[in-house]
C-alpha cells in the first residue's frame, strides 16, 4: 500500500504551475481545451493554452497583482476559466472561483473575505452584480470582463481580449514563482450550515491529491483522456477532476456552459472520464426508463439486458473472467446495452464517477449493468476533493477504499477521520473553526458517520449533524430513507422530516421528466407537475412507493405521512446546493406550512 510519505516524495517541490509547465513542454501539440462557439467547435493545444496563460499573467502583473494576492473568478464552464486560473498561479497569486449564481451581497462577502485585488467575470450580467458592491470591497483594484460585445462596460473595467495582447511571460521562469506551501486556491463551502468557510488548499495539497488519484487506476492509463467539464468550478469536485487532473494528466477538456446541455455534449465528445453528482446520473437513468416504458417490447428487452448486465458487473468487479455461460448470456443482450450507452454518449467511458452526495444503489447498478465502469467517490473540500475511491473493484453501497497515502479511520462514535497530504491547511481567517475540524495530530473530523466492510471499503451512513432524533429519542438516518425513496422513478427529490417530531414524514418532489411520461402512459390527460401532484392516481402510486421503501426499515424509521410538491428543485436554490445537495434548513423554512400540516 502506498503511504502518504511515498506520495509526498513523488511530488516534492512541485506546484500546479510546474506541472502545467511540464505538460506544455511535453505535449505542446495535443489538444488541451475545447468549446463550442455557435455551431462550430474551437480548441487550444497545450502550447496555445500556455501562451494565453502567460499573456494574461503579464497583464495581471501590469495591473499590480503580486505573489500571495487573490484573484476572484466568476464565470460558467468555459475555456477562459482554465487560462485565468493558471495565469493567477503564474504570478504567484491565488485564484478563487465563486459560484456564478451568487447575489451581489454574496459576491461582496466572498471577495472581501479573501481580500481579492482583482476579479475576472464572464459578461455584463456578472459585471453588474460585482459593480453594485465594488465600493464595499476595499482591496479590489482591477476588474476584467470577458464578454462585452456592445461595449457596455464602464470606464475602468478591463477587457479580456485586450489583456491577451500583452507579451507573454516566460513560462519556465513564471512556473517557479509559486511555492509548494502557497495557496493554490480557496474553496468556499456552500454555506448550508452557516456563513461560507474558505477552505485553504495549497499547491502541495493539490499535486499530492492528483498523484494519489492517478495511482488509483490499476492497469488502465488515464492520461490524455477526454472529459466534459460542466459542474461549477467553485466546487472542489470539478476543480480537481477536470482542471487539476487535466493539467497533470494532459486531459482533453471540453467546456459545457450549462449542465442542461450535457446530453448533447456527451454525444458529441464521447468522454472517457465522466464525473457527475447523483442528480445527473438519476436524470439520465430516468430518461432511459421513460423512453423504454413507451414501448413494452423495448422495456422488456432493457430489463432482460440489465438483469444479465448486473450479474456480469458483479463478476467484473472481482477482475475475474466471466464464466462461459454468463459470457454467452451477456453476448446475447449486448446489442441492447450498447444501444443505450451509445444513445447516452457513454460508449467510450473508461471510468464514470458519482460523488458529492449518496447515489441510489439501483441507479449505480443500472450504469454498471450497461457496462459503464461506475464507482462512487467520497471526500470533502477539506480533503482537496477525494478521500476514498476504488474505480474498478467496486463494492456497491460503499465509497471505496482510502486513496493511496490517505489514512481513514473511525472515531469511537463512528465519525470518519482522515489524515494525509490531501488535508487542507485550515479555514481562511477562522482559527476557531479550523481547530474544531483538525486535531493536533493532523486528523480531519469530517462530520460523517461511516463503517468499513470486511475488505476495508468505507460506507457512509449519514451526516453526524443530520441524524434525526425523534420525540421518542430514536436516532434515524434521513439519508438512507431519502436514497430508498429516490430509487422510485416518480420521485425526483426527497426531504425526510422528523427531528423532535412524533413520527417520520417526508416532502416528495415529482421527477419533472419521468412523471409526465408516466402519467401519459396511465391515460392521465393533465401532465403538468402541479396537477400531477394532486392527482389521485399519482398519489396512490407514490403511496405504493413509500410502502415499498418502508418495508426496508424498522417501524420507527418508516415514513408515516408525506406531502407532494408540483415543482422542480433546481441546483443552487433555496432547496439545493449548486451540486444538488439537500439544504435541509432551506426546505424546512420554505415549506414550513406543508410540513406542519402533516403533524397538525
Amino acid at each position: 500500500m502506498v503511504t502518504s510519505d511515498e506520495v509526498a516524495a513523488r511530488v516534492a517541490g512541485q506546484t500546479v504551475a510546474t506541472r502545467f509547465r511540464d505538460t506544455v513542454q511535453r505535449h505542446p501539440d495535443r489538444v488541451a481545451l475545447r468549446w463550442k462557439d455557435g455551431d462550430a467547435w474551437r480548441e487550444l493545444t497545450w502550447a496555445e493554452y500556455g501562451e494565453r496563460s502567460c499573456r494574461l499573467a503579464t497583464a495581471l502583473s501590469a495591473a499590480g497583482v503580486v505573489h500571495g494576492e487573490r484573484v476572484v473568478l466568476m464565470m460558467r464552464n468555459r475555456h477562459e476559466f482554465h487560462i485565468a486560473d493558471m495565469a493567477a498561479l503564474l504570478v504567484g497569486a491565488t485564484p478563487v472561483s465563486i459560484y456564478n449564481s451568487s447575489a451581489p451581497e454574496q459576491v461582496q462577502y466572498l471577495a472581501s473575505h479573501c481580500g481579492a485585488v482583482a476579479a475576472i467575470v464572464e459578461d455584463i450580467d456578472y459585471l453588474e452584480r460585482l459593480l453594485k458592491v465594488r465600493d464595499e470591497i476595499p482591496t479590489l483594484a482591477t476588474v476584467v470582463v470577458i464578454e462585452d460585445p456592445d461595449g457596455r462596460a464602464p470606464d475602468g473595467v478591463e477587457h479580456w481580449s485586450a489583456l491577451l495582447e500583452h507579451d507573454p511571460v516566460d513560462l519556465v521562469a513564471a512556473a517557479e514563482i509559486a511555492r509548494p506551501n502557497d495557496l493554490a486556491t480557496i474553496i468556499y463551502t456552500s454555506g448550508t450550515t452557516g456563513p461560507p468557510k474558505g477552505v485553504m488548499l495549497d499547491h502541495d495539497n493539490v499535486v499530492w491529491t492528483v498523484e494519489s488519484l492517478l495511482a488509483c487506476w490499476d492497469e488502465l492509463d488515464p492520461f490524455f483522456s477526454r472529459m466534459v467539464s460542466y459542474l461549477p468550478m467553485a466546487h472542489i469536485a470539478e476543480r480537481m477532476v477536470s482542471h487539476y487532473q487535466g493539467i497533470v494528466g494532459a486531459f482533453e477538456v471540453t467546456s459545457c456552459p450549462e449542465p442542461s446541455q450535457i446530453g448533447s455534449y456527451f454525444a458529441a465528445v464521447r468522454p472517457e472520464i465522466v464525473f457527475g453528482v447523483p442528480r445527473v446520473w438519476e436524470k439520465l437513468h430516468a430518461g432511459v426508463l421513460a423512453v423504454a416504458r413507451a414501448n413494452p417490447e423495448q422495456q422488456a428487452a432493457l430489463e432482460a439486458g440489465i438483469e444479465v448486465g448486473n450479474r456480469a458487473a458483479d463478476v467484473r468487479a472481482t477482475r475475474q473472467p466471466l464464466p462461459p455461460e454468463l459470457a454467452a448470456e451477456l453476448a446475447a443482450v449486448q446489442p441492447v446495452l450498447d444501444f443505450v450507452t451509445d444513445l447516452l454518449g457513454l460508449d467510450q467511458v473508461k471510468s464514470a464517477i458519482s460523488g458529492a452526495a449518496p447515489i441510489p444503489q439501483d441507479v449505480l447498478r443500472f450504469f454498471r449493468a450497461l457496462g459503464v465502469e461506475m464507482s462512487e467517490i467520497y471526500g470533502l473540500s477539506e480533503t482537496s476533493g477525494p478521500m476514498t475511491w476504488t474505480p474498478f473493484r467496486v463494492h456497491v453501497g460503499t465509497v471505496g477504499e482510502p486513496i493511496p497515502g490517505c489514512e481513514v479511520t473511525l472515531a469511537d462514535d463512528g465519525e470518519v477521520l482522515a489524515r494525509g497530504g490531501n488535508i487542507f491547511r485550515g479555514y481562511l481567517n477562522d482559527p476557531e473553526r479550523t481547530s474544531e475540524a483538525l486535531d493536533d495530530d493532523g486528523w480531519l473530523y469530517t462530520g460523517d458517520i461511516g463503517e468499513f466492510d470486511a475488505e476495508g471499503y468505507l460506507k457512509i451512513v449519514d451526516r453526524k449533524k443530520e441524524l434525526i432524533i425523534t420525540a421518542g429519542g430514536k436516532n434515524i438516518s434521513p439519508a438512507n430513507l431519502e436514497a430508498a425513496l429516490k430509487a422510485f422513478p416518480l420521485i425526483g427529490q426527497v426531504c425526510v422530516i422528523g427531528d423532535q417530531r412524533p413520527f417520520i414524514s417526508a416532502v416528495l418532489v415529482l421527477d419533472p421528466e419521468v412523471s409526465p411520461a408516466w402519467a401519459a402512459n396511465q391515460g392521465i390527460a393533465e401532465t403538468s407537475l402541479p396537477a400531477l401532484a394532486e392527482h389521485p392516481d399519482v398519489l396512490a402510486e407514490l403511496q405504493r412507493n413509500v410502502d415499498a421503501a418502508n418495508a426496508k426499515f424498522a417501524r420507527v424509521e418508516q415514513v408515516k405521512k408525506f406531502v407532494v410538491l408540483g415543482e422542480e428543485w433546481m441546483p443552487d436554490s433555496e432547496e439545493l446546493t449548486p451540486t444538488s445537495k439537500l439544504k435541509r434548513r432551506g426546505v424546512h423554512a420554505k415549506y414550513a406550512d406543508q410540513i406542519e400540516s402533516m403533524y397538525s
Side-chain angles (χ1 to χ4, degrees):
M1 180 178 177
V2 178
T3 67
S4 183
D5 288 343
E6 288 172 326
V7 178
R10 296 178 188 177
V11 300
Q14 298 174 9
T15 66
V16 179
T18 61
R19 295 305 293 264
F20 178 74
R21 174 202 62 202
D22 295 346
T23 298
V24 170
Q25 291 178 335
R26 292 169 184 166
H27 311 290
D29 298 326
R30 276 191 171 273
V31 174
L33 304 175
R34 299 178 72 251
W35 68 98
K36 204 167 186 181
D37 182 7
D39 293 329
W41 287 97
R42 309 293 185 194
E43 60 187 36
L44 292 178
T45 64
W46 281 99
E48 293 166 330
Y49 179 5
E51 182 188 20
R52 293 195 185 190
S53 299
C54 288
R55 288 181 181 277
L56 186 59
T58 300
L60 292 176
S61 291
V65 180
V66 299
H67 180 272
E69 294 184 323
R70 315 278 160 70
V71 178
V72 162
L73 310 178
M74 189 177 177
M75 61 191 81
R76 294 178 296 170
N77 287 74
R78 49 189 300 151
H79 76 281
E80 289 94 343
F81 170 86
H82 302 275
I83 294 167
D85 190 282
M86 183 49 59
L89 297 180
L90 291 176
V91 298
T94 301
V96 181
S97 182
I98 61 177
Y99 289 109
N100 55 45
S101 59
S102 299
E105 296 76 15
Q106 294 170 309
V107 173
Q108 184 275 329
Y109 174 83
L110 297 173
S112 298
H113 187 262
C114 72
V117 299
I120 302 176
V121 301
E122 176 165 340
D123 57 20
I124 295 299
D125 173 56
Y126 298 99
L127 179 64
E128 288 176 345
R129 279 184 263 164
L130 176 66
L131 294 182
K132 283 182 180 179
V133 294
R134 181 175 186 174
D135 292 343
E136 301 172 49
I137 308 172
T139 54
L140 188 61
T142 302
V143 176
V144 180
V145 65
I146 296 173
E147 292 183 3
D148 181 21
D150 301 321
R152 292 166 53 196
D155 292 342
V157 173
E158 304 284 350
H159 286 81
W160 176 268
S161 57
L163 299 187
L164 291 185
E165 294 176 1
H166 283 73
D167 292 331
V169 298
D170 178 69
L171 177 58
V172 174
E176 298 293 338
I177 295 174
R179 297 184 290 267
N181 61 352
D182 287 341
L183 294 185
T185 192
I186 299 166
I187 299 290
Y188 278 95
T189 62
S190 53
T192 58
T193 57
K197 296 175 287 189
V199 175
M200 297 187 291
L201 302 177
D202 63 18
H203 288 264
D204 258 339
N205 285 139
V206 173
V207 294
W208 189 101
T209 303
V210 171
E211 190 71 24
S212 178
L213 278 173
L214 294 177
C216 292
W217 278 78
D218 295 338
E219 69 274 11
L220 280 183
D221 184 358
F223 279 74
F224 314 125
S225 292
R226 294 187 301 278
M227 283 199 71
V228 176
S229 173
Y230 62 95
L231 291 168
M233 280 294 184
H235 193 275
I236 186 57
E238 188 68 66
R239 191 69 154 273
M240 178 56 67
V241 172
S242 67
H243 182 57
Y244 296 135
Q245 272 200 125
I247 288 168
V248 177
F251 291 175
E252 181 182 295
V253 177
T254 299
S255 296
C256 172
E258 297 292 346
S260 60
Q261 300 174 0
I262 59 172
S264 63
Y265 273 72
F266 284 173
V269 173
R270 302 288 160 171
E272 295 168 296
I273 300 175
V274 182
F275 176 85
V277 297
R279 189 60 188 147
V280 169
W281 300 115
E282 290 165 4
K283 289 175 80 71
L284 292 175
H285 171 245
V288 172
L289 294 187
V291 171
R293 287 194 180 99
N295 183 313
E297 290 184 6
Q298 289 182 350
Q299 182 176 2
L302 178 62
E303 289 174 352
I306 293 299
E307 191 277 327
V308 176
N310 261 316
R311 288 188 278 127
D314 288 341
V315 177
R316 193 172 70 243
T318 68
R319 311 310 274 174
Q320 298 297 314
L322 295 181
E325 300 83 359
L326 181 54
E329 287 186 76
L330 183 63
V333 300
Q334 197 65 56
V336 173
L337 305 181
D338 288 347
F339 175 80
V340 177
T341 54
D342 182 71
L343 183 70
L344 295 174
L346 302 178
D347 53 309
Q348 296 184 40
V349 169
K350 300 175 185 175
S351 177
I353 309 154
S354 180
I359 185 172
Q361 289 188 28
D362 70 309
V363 176
L364 179 66
R365 285 189 176 278
F366 175 83
F367 285 100
R368 291 188 56 76
L370 291 176
V372 176
E373 287 287 4
M374 178 176 277
S375 57
E376 280 196 87
I377 197 167
Y378 165 66
L380 314 169
S381 300
E382 291 86 345
T383 60
S384 305
M387 185 190 315
T388 64
W389 183 45
T390 304
F392 306 116
R393 300 176 186 271
V394 173
H395 293 188
V396 175
T398 77
V399 290
E401 303 166 287
I403 61 174
C406 182
E407 299 175 77
V408 179
T409 189
L410 302 179
D412 292 341
D413 63 356
E415 183 173 1
V416 179
L417 311 182
R419 182 169 64 179
N422 55 331
I423 304 302
F424 78 133
R425 302 313 183 210
Y427 297 116
L428 180 66
N429 304 327
D430 200 340
E432 182 176 344
R433 287 203 280 185
T434 298
S435 65
E436 292 173 357
L438 290 170
D439 70 14
D440 293 338
D441 294 322
W443 288 103
L444 170 70
Y445 286 70
T446 66
D448 289 316
I449 302 296
E451 57 190 36
F452 288 102
D453 71 10
E455 295 183 45
Y457 284 58
L458 181 66
K459 178 180 180 180
I460 300 301
V461 177
D462 215 327
R463 285 292 294 169
K464 189 173 181 179
K465 293 181 179 179
E466 291 184 356
L467 286 173
I468 287 174
I469 304 177
T470 67
K474 299 294 184 180
N475 285 14
I476 294 170
S477 163
N480 290 340
L481 271 169
E482 287 157 359
L485 289 164
K486 287 172 68 176
F488 296 96
L490 275 186
I491 302 174
Q493 295 288 349
V494 184
C495 183
V496 167
I497 312 295
D499 200 47
Q500 301 303 310
R501 302 282 192 172
F503 57 83
I504 299 299
S505 67
V507 176
L508 306 182
V509 181
L510 293 174
D511 187 288
E513 296 174 2
V514 174
S515 298
W518 180 90
N521 287 338
Q522 300 298 313
I524 299 173
E526 178 57 72
T527 57
S528 70
L529 289 182
L532 292 178
E534 299 177 354
H535 196 283
D537 290 352
V538 175
L539 295 177
E541 178 67 14
L542 290 175
Q543 185 64 63
R544 286 190 285 271
N545 295 163
V546 171
D547 291 343
N550 279 342
K552 302 176 182 179
F553 296 91
R555 186 173 181 82
V556 71
E557 298 174 294
Q558 295 176 359
V559 173
K560 303 298 190 295
K561 293 185 179 182
F562 61 86
V563 293
V564 185
L565 303 180
E567 56 191 75
E568 183 177 3
W569 288 354
M570 302 299 294
D572 205 2
S573 62
E574 292 178 76
E575 301 92 356
L576 302 176
T577 71
T579 53
S580 296
K581 289 182 184 176
L582 196 61
K583 289 184 178 178
R584 296 188 187 277
R585 290 195 303 176
V587 172
H588 282 240
K590 184 172 181 179
Y591 304 101
D593 291 344
Q594 292 92 325
I595 291 170
E596 288 303 324
S597 71
M598 293 186 285
Y599 294 96
S600 61

